[in-house]
Amino acid sequence: MRRVAAVPIDKELVVVNDCSRDGTHGVLTRIEADPSLVTSADSTGRTQLRIFHQPVNRGKGAALHRGFAEARGDVVVVQDADLEYEPHELPRLVSRIARGEADVVYGSRFARGHAGFPFWHTLANRVLTALSNATTGLRVSDMETCYKVMRTDVVPELRLREERFGFEPEVTALLAHLSRRRPLRVVEEPISYSPRSVAEGKKIRLKDAFRAVYCILRYGLIAPPLPKELPAAGEVRPAE
């Protein structure tokens, strides 16, 4: 959290504790009592900190749903707590949206090659990304990346449902469907990556790969229902 707070941009740090049982609650309780434990890492004082606790453990996707619902900024980005992704690369990704060049930015771990990446990790990512591209029509090099930077006003249009690791292929497919209804600029930026092992706490398993395939096909091939059009100001419509 201090590493994210130190990123030199105006930001709101929304922390979602998914009912973790590893001591996370105790750490966050101390921070809630003294937010300066985190915000002091930001010498500019441009970090707002908000912490939320899920009543039961539901998974990464559910935690993200809560975080997106609570976010009040113009742009949202996911930062996993394991720091496989380097927070100080975020300003470069966010700047593409700030300059009006994109609505969504994917941070690609493979744009600069994949030297040093675990072989099976790379292979699985390549296969899943290729399948996702084939069903969505997008041309991204890293569909499973955590760093998906989005304009906040895009998120409510996606109608996210997946509560666990199916979030990544689901959100990619829904962004593709949304881009067919209105202009949506999706771009990629290269990022660095420091993968951790299962022994270090990596939770992705083979069953998650099967779920990813299901989500790619389910959300990529079947377009979500169009949102009901809201009535114009002052317009009264008969009850359906």
Side-chain angles (χ1 to χ4, degrees):
M1 292 169 64
R2 287 178 58 83
R3 288 269 293 276
V4 176
V7 175
I9 55 176
D10 291 329
K11 59 196 168 298
E12 173 189 53
L13 181 52
V14 178
V15 181
V16 180
N17 170 27
D18 191 36
C19 201
S20 296
R21 294 175 292 179
D22 59 358
T24 293
H25 188 277
V27 172
L28 294 179
T29 298
R30 294 198 301 273
I31 293 172
E32 287 176 305
D34 183 9
S36 67
L37 292 171
V38 169
T39 58
S40 61
D42 178 5
S43 60
T44 65
R46 297 185 296 179
T47 298
Q48 297 180 4
L49 176 63
R50 301 168 66 215
I51 298 174
F52 301 92
H53 299 273
Q54 299 279 72
V56 296
N57 181 280
R58 294 169 53 197
K60 174 180 177 175
L64 295 183
H65 299 170
R66 178 69 183 276
F68 292 148
E70 300 290 352
R72 300 178 297 194
D74 299 317
V75 175
V76 293
V77 60
V78 178
Q79 173 71 57
D80 285 349
D82 57 17
L83 288 177
E84 289 184 322
Y85 296 76
E86 174 50 61
H88 276 80
E89 295 188 349
L90 286 174
R92 177 165 50 83
L93 275 64
V94 172
S95 69
R96 297 292 302 273
I97 297 178
R99 294 197 301 265
E101 299 172 358
D103 302 297
V104 179
V105 181
Y106 273 41
S108 174
R109 297 166 291 177
F110 300 99
R112 296 173 178 154
H114 50 84
F117 284 40
F119 171 76
W120 291 111
H121 174 280
T122 302
L123 178 62
N125 190 290
R126 292 296 197 197
V127 171
L128 293 174
T129 296
L131 181 59
S132 175
N133 286 342
T135 58
T136 64
L138 296 178
R139 290 294 177 265
V140 298
S141 62
D142 189 6
M143 176 274 293
E144 289 281 359
T145 180
C146 172
Y147 272 178
K148 295 177 172 71
V149 186
M150 298 180 283
R151 287 177 33 162
T152 305
D153 58 5
V154 169
V155 179
E157 298 187 59
L158 300 180
R159 298 190 173 191
L160 298 166
R161 298 168 56 186
E162 290 295 310
E163 294 195 339
R164 303 195 70 81
F165 293 115
F167 166 80
E168 309 297 354
E170 176 198 25
V171 72
T172 300
L174 295 181
L175 285 169
H177 287 301
L178 181 60
S179 70
R180 298 183 188 108
R181 299 203 301 264
R182 68 174 181 83
L184 190 71
R185 298 162 297 174
V186 181
V187 302
E188 282 193 307
E189 278 285 325
I191 59 172
S192 57
Y193 182 59
S194 301
R196 61 173 175 158
S197 65
V198 173
E200 295 171 313
K202 192 74 171 179
K203 292 182 173 60
I204 295 289
R205 300 291 188 270
L206 181 60
K207 66 178 182 180
D208 298 308
F210 288 117
R211 182 67 185 184
V213 172
Y214 165 81
C215 291
I216 289 171
L217 299 176
R218 164 66 179 83
Y219 299 107
L221 298 178
I222 303 175
L226 293 174
K228 292 185 177 180
E229 183 181 357
L230 296 176
E235 179 183 358
V236 178
R237 294 183 179 176
E240 297 180 354

